[in-house]
Amino acid sequence: AQSVTQLDSHVSVSEGTPVLLRCNYSSSYSPSLFWYVQHPNKGLQLLLKYTSAATLVKGINGFEAEFKKSETSFHLTKPSAHMSDAAEYFCVVSEWPGRRALTFGSGTRLQVQP
Amino acid sequence: DGGITQSPKYLFRKEGQNVTLSCEQNLNHDAMYWYRQDPGQGLRLIYYSQIVNDFQKGDIAEGYSVSREKKESFPLTVTSAQKNPTAFYLCASSIDRSGGAKDTQYFGPGTRLTVL
């Protein structure tokens, strides 16, 4: 069975400082991993995904994540936060074979202080 | 302009009434999904469909029903049997041509349902 744990429910950073959102996963098979972002009352937008190619994945808006199998982690980072990055971020796992839907973490709310 | 549309954006319902949420996609995707989101939680899967005229229950299907008569459409009915229907509902779609875990899901803007 697959599961996802987002280690922080809230993260607050100052504008221009680095962002780190932590995610651990468990999976019985080779997983694909995703990060989605959700702005208030909006749908989810895909930031990036890992599908067994390069372990360092670059996404949109300057975000990137590194897949570490030994640590079962897929942390999301960004070198310099912008005010527009304030949102809810979800780490998501999908595995094959298995069910054809996603398993979501509980989310991390990122606040960016001016 | 390709994408997923959900309507309405906000929906109010009286207790005991059924209500249907619309989801349409013009991405030519085979698979479609319905999720429910509650405050402070991730998304939970209600139903999904990999092909027309076929669908499977997700983790929280009780009190919900779906149909998939057309590839483009996957409406969700919230019935009076759903004990706590107030939530944000998100529809998604993916190519799912046996792409397995690499298949990316794309989400609509959501419908916020409030039971009065």
Side-chain angles (χ1 to χ4, degrees), chain A residues 36 38 41 49 99-100, chain B residues 37 50 96 104-105 112:
Chain A
Y36 283 87
Q38 183 181 34
N41 292 311
K49 70 176 183 179
R99 67 186 212 159
R100 292 178 182 259
Chain B
Q37 184 178 27
Q50 293 169 237
D96 197 22
T104 298
Q105 292 187 19
R112 186 165 297 282

